[in-house]
Amino acid sequence: QVQLVESGGGVVQPGGSLRLSCAASGFSFSGYGMHWLRQVAGKGLEWVAFIRYDGTNKDYADSVKGRYTISRDNSKNTLYLQMNSLRTEDTAVYYCAKEHLGGTAGYWGQGTLVTVSS
Amino acid sequence: DIQMTQSPSTLSASVGDRVTITCRASQSISRWLAWYQQKPGKAPKLLIYKASSLESGVPSRFSGSGSGTEFTLTISSLQPDDFATYYCQQYNSYSRAFGQGTKVEI
């Protein structure tokens, strides 16, 4: 069965950096696009970034463009999110998700918490 | 950017009720709309994609309809397991915006 396990979350100071990972199993990782999404505690969902199955196309939300970089290593079945110049408003649970038919987020991982605080 | 507006924000209902949630897009998204269910402390779960296609394993009491800018999620007979927050999401444009959510409570 599909499994997505996020890791790398933690506490970081404003202006700092963090790299999240998402280990995928149970499906052909190299054949699917992947998303990162986030949710502030008690608030709604926000799409963050998407990467095509082969890594040739990447999209970003305006709120993270120029600060975050999505990447993948298909040989390791792993998705990454490099987050730089972090702000307090980036504090959230970050989820990775497998692309569904037509491009939406299908199966989601359980998330990893990122806290940006001094 | 396309904005998504859900209504109502909160919905009080009872087991057995027919429940309808509305999602409006600020411009046409054709049928590129998904619905998710989220329970406290859990990741969202995809229910409906392409406006009306039921995701595998999702009970048939859930249905979606609409196109263009107006969409609805209907639960035909609310079950105890359905009390949760529901989100719509457009995926017509790169921004992939979510609605603000609808909490279905007793």
Side-chain angles (χ1 to χ4, degrees):
Chain A
Q1 69 281 19
V2 174
Q3 268 206 310
L4 296 170
V5 180
E6 301 93 338
S7 61
V11 181
V12 61
Q13 292 190 338
S17 298
L18 212 55
R19 188 175 85 152
L20 305 184
S21 299
C22 169
S25 60
F27 67 102
S28 179
F29 179 73
S30 61
Y32 289 87
M34 295 292 294
H35 296 271
W36 283 104
L37 308 101
R38 67 185 181 184
Q39 185 171 36
V40 174
K43 302 295 184 183
L45 298 165
E46 181 184 17
W47 172 80
V48 172
F50 170 79
I51 185 168
R52 215 171 97 120
Y53 68 95
D54 57 3
T56 58
N57 189 56
K58 304 172 185 179
D59 290 331
Y60 298 93
D62 289 343
S63 58
V64 307
K65 202 171 292 184
R67 300 188 299 123
Y68 287 17
T69 302
I70 188 171
S71 63
R72 65 191 296 157
D73 186 338
N74 286 345
S75 69
K76 295 182 178 179
N77 289 350
T78 302
L79 174 72
Y80 302 101
L81 186 68
Q82 177 67 44
M83 306 185 294
N84 298 331
S85 303
L86 283 162
R87 307 166 180 167
T88 55
E89 57 263 36
D90 295 321
T91 295
V93 173
Y94 284 73
Y95 297 98
C96 63
K98 172 178 171 279
E99 182 186 20
H100 194 266
L101 299 170
T104 192
Y107 187 85
W108 299 47
Q110 287 308 299
T112 187
L113 177 61
V114 171
T115 302
V116 184
S117 173
S118 54
Chain B
D1 281 3
I2 298 174
Q3 310 298 321
M4 306 301 293
T5 305
Q6 278 181 245
S7 61
S9 297
T10 306
L11 190 159
S12 295
S14 301
V15 173
D17 284 353
R18 182 181 180 88
V19 166
T20 299
I21 300 168
T22 298
C23 181
R24 290 186 174 86
S26 59
Q27 63 190 74
S28 177
I29 57 169
S30 184
R31 294 177 58 80
W32 299 111
L33 185 102
W35 289 97
Y36 299 88
Q37 177 194 66
Q38 188 179 32
K39 297 180 180 178
K42 299 293 187 182
K45 173 187 172 184
L46 178 66
L47 299 176
I48 302 282
Y49 62 97
K50 212 168 179 187
S52 61
S53 295
L54 193 68
E55 171 67 344
S56 176
V58 174
S60 58
R61 62 181 179 272
F62 291 93
S63 63
S65 64
S67 65
T69 61
E70 294 258 346
F71 301 87
T72 59
L73 173 70
T74 300
I75 309 172
S76 60
S77 178
L78 199 66
Q79 299 301 301
D81 192 47
D82 302 337
F83 291 95
T85 300
Y86 294 84
Y87 295 92
C88 63
Q89 184 205 20
Q90 68 85 10
Y91 52 109
N92 179 70
S93 73
Y94 86 96
S95 65
R96 299 174 174 90
F98 285 87
Q100 78 275 22
T102 296
K103 184 176 182 181
V104 176
E105 57 185 23
I106 300 172

